[in-house]
Amino acid sequence: MRILSWPVISVLLVCVAGGLALSSCITGLPNLNLSAVAPVIGADDSSNTDTKTIDPVAPRVRLDREFTRRGNDFGFRLFSMLAEKENDKNVFISTPSISLALSMVYNGADGETKDTMAKVLPLGSGRLEAVNAANSAITNSLQDPNSGVNLMIGNSVWAKDNISFIADFMQRCEVSYQAELKSLKFEDPKSVDIINAWVDNKTQGKIKRLINELDPMTYLVVVNTVYFKGAWRNPFDPAATQPHDFMTPDGKITVPMMSAENDYIYQKNDDFEAVILPYAGTRMSMYVFLPSEELGLNGFIKKLNAENWQKWVTMFRPAEGTVMLPKFKSEYDTHLRDLLVKMGLGIAFDRNQADFSQMCSERTWLSEVIHKTFVEVNEEGTEAAAATAAVAVGSIMPPEPPPTFKMVVDRPFFCVIRDNETGLLLFMGAIKNPGQS
């Protein structure tokens, strides 16, 4: 198929993780949206039949443990590199969102480029049918209307108007990822506004401007958005929120500190203490990890990997206590090209070596991966009758937690939003300064 007269094509991959409701939000409160790429986790068509899940909750999506581990480990490695790069800046990302966007592009890869992407990304066997089926299944599961939260995932592929792309590539994006296929005149400055308006709509107004300009060499833009709105199962009482000191890397500040006494799932060891805060429905939960003063957040992040995570998640036990957590609102955006190159994905960004011949017949390469998030944590929530969040039971019994505890999050901390049904980590963040917008 003859496609275009231009000698080269650049692909812009946009990951808008803008709208993760890390906080408990209810009607009338801002929602969090994520315009990033959704995760490609657990795709495998091999003969491995070990589909034991992390939690004793019967999952709708059966994911091989090894690929779930690989997907979360990819997230930890990328997050650790970003946290080190940003130094004193809050970092909040959705690695599943990033993986999902990259998996759409993977459908157009071939040769060494395809092999490298399968190796670096959590794509399992790398077989397209398995990768796409896994992504489709988990996307549908996460958007379950009975989950107790509102989570919407959107994908779109924007192609230059006078360029023809391989029909199979576009069809796979449309069928497996429910991607909206759009045609634009990229040389027209209004094209940027059109894409930004789509993102704004999909993220409920939380990400209003994702792209500032498009390079003339760009002929394809792939966008994924995730919108999440959740209410705490046990909301914080606004009357209990009081000013409180918080020690940032730059010194002490005063922040609005929420406080609640309840029955929690909790753990404490020499490195950190942690608590699980379930959203309504209990399928989704926020995990808050407060590193010890001796270890600090940077030391904690150095220990983040799939093996440690699997161990930590089995160590939670029921305990009664008080949790004090700062309110915060934060926007974060970053370009991921350099970090993905360091992780081994350089060939996809190399205009001379990249092979995306399953996307179009002319030479094509990936130019950039943009990721943007918005998150807000506050007191509001909706009570719901639900069981305690499911957690794994490990073979090594941890020390029993104290009869009561008091966890005061008054220094930099790590948090994740976890889907307890699949074990997928939807979002993760390093909050170093709650007052940093």
Side-chain angles (χ1 to χ4, degrees):
M1 177 185 298
R2 183 66 184 165
I3 299 189
L4 43 114
S5 57
W6 285 265
V8 289
I9 300 177
S10 172
V11 177
L12 176 65
L13 184 61
V14 178
C15 313
V16 181
L20 158 55
L22 212 203
S23 66
S24 62
C25 296
I26 60 173
T27 303
L29 290 175
N31 312 329
L32 292 93
N33 342 71
L34 227 87
S35 164
V37 239
V40 166
I41 294 182
D44 190 2
D45 61 313
S46 70
S47 59
N48 187 349
T49 58
D50 182 4
T51 55
K52 181 179 178 182
T53 54
I54 293 175
D55 296 322
V57 176
R60 289 180 174 83
V61 180
R62 305 293 290 184
L63 299 181
D64 185 283
R65 287 184 302 166
E66 173 61 17
F67 291 99
T68 301
R69 184 199 67 79
R70 285 180 58 189
N72 287 341
D73 189 55
F74 169 77
F76 290 139
R77 287 186 289 120
L78 181 61
F79 177 83
S80 296
M81 295 171 71
L82 279 171
E84 181 179 3
K85 168 190 170 185
E86 299 294 5
N87 197 14
D88 295 339
K89 186 178 178 181
N90 292 339
V91 176
F92 197 84
I93 66 171
S94 171
T95 51
S97 168
I98 295 167
S99 298
L100 184 56
L102 285 169
S103 70
M104 282 192 282
V105 173
Y106 177 73
N107 276 265
D110 205 355
E112 186 180 353
T113 300
K114 181 179 180 180
D115 293 342
T116 300
M117 292 184 75
K119 181 179 179 180
V120 175
L121 303 174
L123 302 181
S125 66
R127 189 163 172 266
L128 281 181
E129 291 82 355
V131 170
N132 293 340
N135 278 308
S136 179
I138 199 168
T139 297
N140 290 335
S141 175
L142 290 172
Q143 298 179 106
D144 179 5
N146 299 314
S147 66
V149 301
N150 183 11
L151 192 152
M152 297 181 292
I153 297 171
N155 295 308
S156 61
V157 176
W158 306 78
K160 189 173 177 63
D161 66 323
N162 58 351
I163 304 300
S164 297
F165 287 85
I166 304 292
D168 285 349
F169 166 75
M170 301 300 277
Q171 184 178 32
R172 285 193 292 266
C173 290
E174 183 177 28
V175 173
S176 298
Y177 299 89
Q178 292 79 53
E180 298 179 35
L181 307 182
K182 308 282 188 178
S183 177
L184 280 180
K185 296 180 182 295
F186 285 153
E187 64 274 14
D188 185 345
K190 292 181 180 179
S191 62
V192 170
D193 296 331
I194 293 173
I195 296 175
N196 284 333
W198 185 89
V199 171
D200 179 51
N201 177 61
K202 292 294 183 179
T203 61
Q204 303 295 298
K206 295 305 169 186
I207 303 294
K208 294 186 176 299
R209 190 163 188 84
L210 177 66
I211 301 173
N212 291 320
E213 60 181 359
L214 289 173
D215 189 291
M217 297 297 292
T218 300
Y219 294 115
L220 189 73
V221 178
V222 178
V223 183
N224 168 269
T225 63
V226 179
Y227 172 82
F228 176 94
K229 179 180 179 180
W232 299 124
R233 191 188 73 183
N234 300 306
F236 292 88
D237 182 357
T241 300
Q242 299 292 330
H244 197 282
D245 289 342
F246 187 99
M247 183 58 69
T248 74
D250 296 324
K252 187 181 298 184
I253 64 172
T254 300
V255 299
M257 185 73 75
M258 305 182 295
S259 180
E261 183 177 344
N262 219 313
D263 292 325
Y264 294 103
I265 304 296
Y266 172 83
Q267 67 167 297
K268 184 175 183 178
N269 56 46
D270 291 340
D271 288 338
F272 62 82
E273 58 181 317
V275 68
I276 299 176
L277 304 175
Y279 288 101
T282 71
R283 172 167 176 171
M284 308 286 179
S285 297
M286 183 171 86
Y287 289 56
V288 179
F289 290 79
L290 180 64
S292 65
E293 293 189 48
E294 294 76 18
L295 182 65
L297 181 59
N298 291 337
F300 175 85
I301 291 175
K302 290 179 181 178
K303 296 190 175 188
L304 271 179
N305 57 54
E307 181 180 357
N308 281 339
W309 176 259
Q310 289 295 92
K311 179 175 66 176
W312 295 341
V313 82
T314 67
M315 297 297 186
F316 286 95
R317 292 295 181 268
E320 181 182 347
T322 300
V323 173
M324 298 177 65
L325 181 69
K327 294 173 60 173
F328 66 91
K329 180 191 295 185
S330 183
E331 293 186 20
Y332 178 71
D333 63 86
T334 186
H335 288 204
L336 297 174
R337 180 187 185 279
D338 291 346
L339 293 186
L340 290 171
V341 169
K342 288 183 180 179
M343 295 179 76
L345 208 57
I347 189 172
F349 296 91
D350 190 319
R351 67 168 61 194
N352 296 315
Q353 298 186 57
D355 181 355
F356 288 101
S357 56
Q358 297 304 307
M359 183 183 295
C360 65
S361 63
E362 301 299 330
R363 175 164 292 175
T364 308
W365 70 92
L366 193 59
S367 62
E368 186 57 89
V369 177
I370 302 173
H371 189 60
K372 188 169 185 177
T373 66
F374 170 89
V375 60
E376 180 173 9
V377 174
N378 54 40
E379 305 96 342
E380 303 298 333
T382 302
E383 291 189 27
T388 301
V391 297
V393 178
S395 58
I396 301 176
M397 292 301 293
E400 287 296 322
T404 61
F405 71 90
K406 185 175 184 179
M407 180 174 169
V408 183
V409 185
D410 58 359
R411 56 185 181 273
F413 61 96
F414 174 76
C415 59
V416 303
I417 299 293
R418 180 177 185 258
D419 175 25
N420 297 314
E421 186 166 292
T422 63
L424 181 65
L425 303 182
L426 298 173
F427 315 104
M428 60 181 72
I431 307 303
K432 306 169 187 178
N433 184 344
Q436 187 181 91
S437 60

